[in-house]
Each structure stands twice: as C-alpha cells, then as structure tokens.
Amino acid sequence: MDNCINIPAELYADDAVCFIANRYHVTPQEAVRSFLVQSGVVSDIKGNKTFDFRFEENEIEILKGLTEVYCSKNEEKRKYI
C-alpha cells in the first residue's frame, strides 16, 4: 500500500513543473502524479488516467529535486505550526 504523499500546492505552480506539463499537454498535477508513478514512489491507481509518455532523464532529475525541495519546505512549516 502506498503512503499518503502530501504534495504542496506551490509545486504545481512552479515554472519548471508547468513547463514540463505543457510539453506533454497535461496539467501540473498530472505531470507530478505521472512522475511519482514513473519513478516508483507510488504505484498507479486503478481508474486514474494513464499517460503514454515517459519523462526524459533530465526531467526526472528536475522533478525529483523540486519534489524534495517543496516537500521539505512543507515539512519544515508543519514542524513550527
């Protein structure tokens, strides 16, 4: 079973995420979900839209870095609330 992943809304508004999403004609949310599935962080969930594209290695690295940055910022905020 996959752990619940809390993706901060700021990640979806990031210029790089929006650029990559636009490149594949998907929403930023779909791009992040596809990245999480493609990188093995979560398994694909039945009923969710599947995509026929694969991110390039540099896009995976960009999304991985951004996910780590935004999620760690979100975790830090939670510690101080």
Side-chain angles (χ1 to χ4, degrees):
M1 179 194 280
D2 297 324
N3 293 328
C4 180
I5 298 175
N6 186 15
I7 302 294
E10 297 92 4
L11 178 62
Y12 301 127
D14 185 271
D15 289 340
V17 173
C18 292
F19 179 84
I20 292 169
N22 188 47
R23 180 170 186 245
Y24 292 100
H25 307 288
V26 296
T27 67
Q29 291 83 352
E30 291 170 328
V32 170
R33 184 168 32 94
S34 184
F35 157 72
L36 293 172
V37 170
Q38 185 176 331
S39 62
V41 174
V42 298
S43 59
D44 202 9
I45 301 168
K46 289 183 181 178
N48 278 342
K49 181 178 177 182
T50 57
F51 303 100
D52 293 332
F53 63 85
R54 301 276 303 161
F55 290 116
E56 294 179 6
E57 192 62 36
N58 65 324
E59 294 167 331
I60 291 286
E61 291 304 315
I62 290 167
L63 292 169
K64 181 179 178 184
L66 289 171
T67 303
E68 290 172 356
V69 167
Y70 281 102
C71 289
S72 67
K73 283 183 188 177
N74 196 37
E75 192 62 36
E76 287 297 316
K77 286 180 190 174
R78 226 180 314 191
K79 287 179 185 176
Y80 296 109
I81 294 177

